[in-house]
Amino acid sequence: MLKCREDLHNIRSLYQARLARQKVKILICAGTACVANGSLALYDTFMKLIEEKGINCAVDLEHEPEGEPIGVKKSGCHGFCEMGPLVRIEPKGYLYVKVKPEDCAEILEASVVNDTCVERLTYHKGGESHKHQESIPFYRQQKRVVLEHCGHIDATSIGEYIANGGYLALEKALFEMTPDEVLQEVEISNLRGRGGGGFPTARKWSQVKRQKAENKYIVCNGDEGDPGAFMDRSVMESDPHKMLEGMILAAYTCGARNGYIYVRAEYPLAVTRLGIAIDQAKELGLLGDHILGTDLCFDIKISRGAGAFVCGEGSALTASIEGKRGMPRVKPPRTVEHGLFDSPTVLNNVETFANVPAIITNGGQWFRGIGPENSPGTKAFALTGNIMNTGLIEVAMGTTLREVIYDIGGGMRDGAEFKAVQIGGPSGGCLTKEHLDLPLDFDNLKKVGAMIGSGGLVVMDDHTCMVEVARFFMSFTQNESCGKCVPCREGTKRMLEILERIVAGNGEPGDIGLLEELAETISATALCGLGKTAASPVLSTIKYFRDEYEAHIFDKRCPTKTCQKLRKIYIDASLCKGCSKCARNCPVGAITGQVKSPFVINGAKCIKCGACVEACAFHAVKED
């Protein structure tokens, strides 16, 4: 139990000394993506080989053996998910990609025993082997602040976090700064909420701070319901103490005694590691009563959500924590005045809190020096879709879409052309080729009708049907509507019905105008942010890809041949050899004919599954 500042200094020195004795460290990515890809088998294999060879080994700093052990660690997400499972060897900085259990012996012999690199397991691009993580284009253009430790420390060790500068910001705040001075640094930094709205963090904290209330709460929104988004999940899994430290700093600033982390139950690994981190912090006295011997008393609990997208909204989230149905309420009053248990509440997302320790340690001006003046700092994005390098990235605000997609993401797959990117999830909008040089920040995206949102980037190529994209996001939003207000409950349902008719080939001439009219009404009258932004993907796709809507409605044709019910499949009699393979592969018996004579497709029976197209060896089955 740490009872004073000196105790924290002493344990930091102890952990740093132990870490320094580990001359070689094997960091195995144990983020969700790599775990799903078999990385835990790598950890087990390394441990078995190390035991067989009798090598002195350390698995955590809290129980360090004597001598100079090698460190074997389950790290958090390295970010380069496309290339997982990933293994990093320090201090050389070797990064091995797509590692299999049978590669572990070679890595151990080469990189641990002989201090050499296994080049065949490194990332290769353009005939060049990238031995070190920092030289890989995916990493080279990133600016990591929130993700600084992700993939570089043991995700379950408070010792490693402290040894790498963890809780320095808390120490500085408690012993060198008043709550007003902490708030001032956050205000100088101009940190804006990373959950989507971009609301100034200091303004929210100051509103809670000035409330005269017996109880105040700090709540972290780790719900993250956007399709394709996993930034917050990765921080909670990889560096949970950074987020906890940010919450403790908020409690010190605002005078709160209790905090909650609202995280979806579909994030079991994040829930587990958050629980471990909270227990470790309590054991050392960094959570609980009289933290580090001061008057600060603050505790944190985890509240698991059931996966309702609407619970990302503040009042719905706090209602869910209270055990009620997660439904938004009319505002005002706002959460900063009457939030959790009707008390003043600071509600920020994971990434926002994770930025605070670095701001307090380095100063608000340091943070403000990164990115543009009105949107300073960095932003983590989940890069997914039809792109070469999918994964978790962090870049300075103001980085262009072109840099993200081509320099970091490596461009499109299979020689396809970039078409659009959906940014901000179901609440966001599409960016197209004309936006490739648009700086990604709050203000520039707002000007073009999009938003950063929590940070999901779904990249689409020229084979993507934008009408189907709009239908997908509207389906998601309609399913997630809580149903409390009529505009969202009924309006999104009507919009979805129209979109489903269009992709089914039953679109009508007035559908586009009706979609726009419904979108305007829903946006103006819905109760919460889910409803107000529900139509954004539809409006942006109509704006930039109106011709695709018109092709579906008037020509009964999907330009990308994505919409199954609009596919037109026929057999070219001049190419058909009468082999009957197409008929044998048809699941509904829609193809008939005589062997050695051209076969025909019965359009009334054809379900347009495309099985015949794939089966034909003579390319006689065509798709128009």
Side-chain angles (χ1 to χ4, degrees):
M1 178 73 75
L2 308 178
K3 297 182 178 179
C4 61
R5 188 177 193 178
E6 185 179 0
D7 287 351
L8 182 57
H9 282 178
N10 291 338
I11 201 168
R12 180 175 289 114
S13 297
L14 172 66
Y15 287 146
Q16 287 174 338
R18 288 179 176 178
L19 195 61
R21 288 206 307 269
Q22 295 178 11
K23 299 301 182 183
V24 179
K25 305 173 188 67
I26 303 173
L27 292 149
I28 299 140
C29 181
T32 291
C34 280
V35 168
N37 220 358
S39 66
L40 295 184
L42 302 181
Y43 180 86
D44 294 340
T45 303
F46 274 119
M47 293 303 297
K48 181 181 178 182
L49 291 169
I50 286 167
E51 184 179 359
E52 289 174 354
K53 292 179 179 291
I55 298 173
N56 191 15
C57 171
V59 294
D60 60 58
L61 290 187
E62 290 75 20
H63 306 89
E64 183 83 357
E66 295 297 321
E68 295 184 350
I70 70 165
V72 184
K73 310 167 194 295
K74 295 177 184 176
S75 76
C77 178
H78 292 231
F80 205 3
C81 305
E82 180 73 23
M83 291 290 144
L86 298 156
V87 175
R88 179 181 168 93
I89 307 295
E90 292 184 345
K92 289 291 187 180
Y94 298 144
L95 184 70
Y96 297 128
V97 303
K98 297 188 176 182
V99 181
K100 298 180 177 62
E102 52 266 32
D103 299 321
C104 294
E106 186 177 359
I107 292 173
L108 192 65
E109 183 68 24
S111 299
V112 177
V113 177
N114 297 319
D115 197 22
T116 58
C117 179
V118 184
E119 285 205 24
R120 72 175 183 85
L121 295 175
T122 61
Y123 176 74
H124 288 75
K125 181 74 173 177
E128 180 183 359
S129 166
H130 293 271
K131 297 180 182 179
H132 304 98
Q133 178 173 323
E134 291 72 18
S135 74
I136 298 173
F138 178 81
Y139 292 101
R140 198 165 54 223
Q141 300 215 29
Q142 293 189 44
K143 173 72 176 176
R144 294 198 158 204
V145 175
V146 169
L147 305 181
E148 176 189 10
H149 294 143
C150 295
H152 294 268
I153 66 171
D154 185 335
T156 60
S157 170
I158 192 172
E160 292 221 11
Y161 181 70
I162 291 174
N164 284 279
Y167 292 108
L168 269 174
L170 178 61
E171 177 191 341
K172 179 180 178 180
L174 291 179
F175 296 103
E176 299 176 22
M177 304 171 74
T178 65
D180 284 335
E181 288 172 332
V182 174
L183 182 61
Q184 184 180 15
E185 286 301 325
V186 177
E187 186 172 9
I188 290 170
S189 74
N190 195 21
L191 172 65
R192 297 173 64 174
R194 274 17 184 193
F199 190 82
T201 303
R203 191 185 306 172
K204 184 180 289 187
W205 288 18
S206 66
Q207 289 171 340
V208 173
K209 186 177 188 299
R210 66 170 176 255
Q211 300 293 322
K212 305 299 182 185
E214 183 179 350
N215 294 314
K216 297 178 183 179
Y217 292 92
I218 308 298
V219 176
C220 179
N221 180 358
D223 189 57
E224 193 173 51
D226 289 3
F230 51 89
M231 302 74 56
D232 290 348
R233 185 197 75 198
S234 296
V235 173
M236 290 186 285
E237 291 175 357
S238 307
D239 198 7
H241 286 284
K242 180 173 285 189
M243 186 192 78
L244 297 185
E245 187 174 5
M247 292 180 69
I248 301 169
L249 288 163
Y252 174 67
T253 304
C254 302
R257 293 179 60 91
N258 292 285
Y260 284 85
I261 302 170
Y262 187 83
V263 55
R264 53 181 44 226
E266 295 99 324
Y267 284 179
L269 189 57
V271 172
T272 298
R273 289 183 181 167
L274 284 171
I276 292 170
I278 290 171
D279 289 343
Q280 290 173 336
K282 286 180 178 178
E283 187 177 343
L284 285 185
L286 294 168
L287 279 175
D289 293 334
H290 302 290
I291 295 172
L292 294 178
T294 68
D295 293 334
L296 177 61
C297 302
F298 183 64
D299 200 4
I300 296 176
K301 296 179 181 179
I302 296 172
S303 179
R304 296 192 217 185
F309 181 65
V310 74
C311 285
E313 193 275 341
S315 59
L317 185 151
T318 53
S320 181
I321 293 176
E322 293 169 2
K324 304 171 186 173
R325 182 179 175 186
M327 298 176 76
R329 57 171 166 77
V330 177
K331 305 172 194 64
R334 299 197 173 273
T335 307
V336 293
E337 299 156 350
H338 296 276
L340 186 61
F341 303 116
D342 201 34
S343 300
T345 302
V346 167
L347 175 59
N348 288 123
N349 85 320
V350 172
E351 190 179 347
T352 307
F353 281 122
N355 267 297
V356 175
I359 289 171
I360 300 306
T361 301
N362 301 313
Q365 286 294 351
W366 163 81
F367 187 84
R368 200 159 190 156
I370 304 170
E373 178 69 17
N374 291 329
S375 298
T378 61
K379 182 71 189 81
F381 290 101
L383 194 57
T384 60
N386 306 114
I387 194 167
M388 290 295 293
N389 301 329
T390 58
L392 179 70
I393 69 171
E394 185 178 4
V395 295
M397 283 281 199
T399 301
T400 66
L401 189 61
R402 187 184 301 277
E403 290 171 309
V404 169
I405 291 175
Y406 290 97
D407 296 342
I408 297 173
M412 310 307 293
R413 292 179 184 271
D414 304 321
E417 288 187 25
F418 169 74
K419 185 172 187 177
V421 58
Q422 176 72 15
I423 185 168
S427 302
C430 282
L431 300 177
T432 64
K433 289 180 179 180
E434 67 182 83
H435 302 118
L436 280 172
D437 295 308
L438 179 76
L440 296 177
D441 61 57
F442 294 108
D443 298 330
N444 278 304
L445 286 172
K446 187 176 181 180
K447 290 176 184 176
V448 296
M451 61 186 293
I452 283 182
S454 59
L457 282 175
V458 182
V459 182
M460 295 167 279
D461 63 21
D462 53 350
H463 302 298
T464 306
C465 173
M466 303 310 295
V467 185
E468 169 57 26
V469 167
R471 189 213 59 81
F472 168 80
F473 280 108
M474 184 53 65
S475 174
F476 176 87
T477 305
Q478 207 283 317
N479 286 332
E480 295 295 336
S481 173
C482 73
K484 185 173 184 178
C485 72
V486 172
C488 183
R489 183 182 70 236
E490 298 299 326
T492 57
K493 188 175 183 179
R494 298 287 87 79
M495 290 186 74
L496 178 59
E497 287 171 352
I498 294 169
L499 289 165
E500 286 179 337
R501 278 199 293 101
I502 293 173
V503 299
N506 299 316
E508 299 173 359
D511 281 347
I512 298 176
L514 186 53
L515 284 170
E516 292 173 323
E517 184 180 341
L518 282 166
E520 183 180 350
T521 303
I522 296 168
S523 300
T525 58
L527 176 62
C528 79
L530 183 146
K532 290 183 182 299
T533 59
S536 295
V538 179
L539 290 176
S540 64
T541 51
I542 289 175
K543 180 179 179 179
Y544 298 115
F545 300 98
R546 194 181 190 94
D547 58 327
E548 291 197 21
Y549 279 85
E550 292 173 344
H552 282 71
I553 294 169
F554 300 110
D555 302 334
K556 306 302 179 187
R557 177 178 63 86
C558 176
T560 61
K561 301 178 183 179
T562 301
C563 299
Q564 185 170 317
K565 292 186 178 180
L566 286 173
R567 299 175 79 179
K568 296 178 181 178
I569 301 175
Y570 65 95
I571 296 175
D572 186 338
S574 65
L575 296 176
C576 181
K577 305 299 182 184
C579 69
S580 80
K581 192 173 183 181
C582 57
R584 286 182 275 121
N585 280 275
C586 179
V588 293
I591 303 176
T592 57
Q594 298 293 324
V595 175
K596 296 185 180 180
S597 297
F599 278 65
V600 293
I601 298 176
N602 183 338
K605 293 179 67 175
C606 177
I607 60 172
K608 303 172 185 179
C609 63
C612 54
V613 178
E614 297 175 8
C616 183
F618 306 102
H619 307 292
V621 185
K622 304 287 187 179
E623 186 173 353
D624 188 7

